[in-house]
Amino acid sequence: MTTQDRTRRLPSQSISQDITSLHGLQTITTYNTSRADASVANLQQAYQTMLAQKQAETEKLTLYRAATDAGRLAEWEFHNAVLAMKEVVRGQYGSDSDQAQAVGLKKKSERKRPNRKKSVAIAI
């Protein structure tokens, strides 16, 4: 028998089939086993544990998504505040000032002038 890869999630179809099998087992009144891992009590306990863990996972995933959204919005608010600050520095001190360069803007005098491309005559 091959070893199970417990690092991957089971397909939801397999879980649904397992739940259906458990519900079907509950209709069998004469079920009795000497295997502790296949007993009705163990199956019920495993099922309840799975439900509780899935609920906890869903709650934590919801909190994670909310925290991610809040972090993303905070990043955008900070970015927009920095852009506003750069506009104020550019307006207050000018585009060619040392202050503009200090906040990460390029001085207007240091910008490279665009080069015109010489038109090449195509001989036909």
Side-chain angles (χ1 to χ4, degrees), residues 3-123:
T3 59
Q4 296 175 338
D5 182 10
R6 292 185 175 209
T7 60
R8 65 174 178 81
R9 298 297 294 254
L10 285 171
S12 58
Q13 184 179 5
S14 294
I15 298 297
S16 295
Q17 290 173 349
D18 292 344
I19 293 170
T20 302
S21 296
L22 176 63
H23 293 311
L25 176 66
Q26 292 171 344
T27 64
I28 303 173
T29 57
T30 58
Y31 178 77
N32 193 7
T33 183
S34 60
R35 287 184 61 177
D37 61 335
S39 68
V40 174
N42 188 50
L43 288 166
Q44 285 293 340
Q45 179 61 38
Y47 178 62
Q48 293 303 321
T49 302
M50 180 194 68
L51 289 178
Q53 290 299 322
K54 286 180 79 73
Q55 180 180 356
E57 177 186 17
T58 301
E59 291 169 357
K60 289 177 182 176
L61 188 58
T62 301
L63 292 173
Y64 167 75
R65 288 179 181 158
T68 301
D69 289 345
R72 186 182 68 249
L73 290 175
E75 287 173 353
W76 275 104
E77 288 177 14
F78 174 70
H79 178 68
N80 289 333
V82 169
L83 290 178
M85 176 268 302
K86 287 181 179 182
E87 287 179 19
V88 169
V89 168
R90 186 181 296 134
Q92 205 170 22
Y93 299 102
S95 297
D96 202 32
S97 67
D98 291 334
Q99 291 85 353
Q101 188 176 23
V103 296
L105 297 173
K106 194 169 210 175
K107 284 186 173 182
K108 191 172 186 179
S109 62
E110 292 179 2
R111 293 180 191 222
K112 187 176 179 182
R113 304 275 187 237
N115 293 335
R116 289 187 179 211
K117 292 186 178 186
K118 297 179 181 178
S119 60
V120 178
I122 300 174

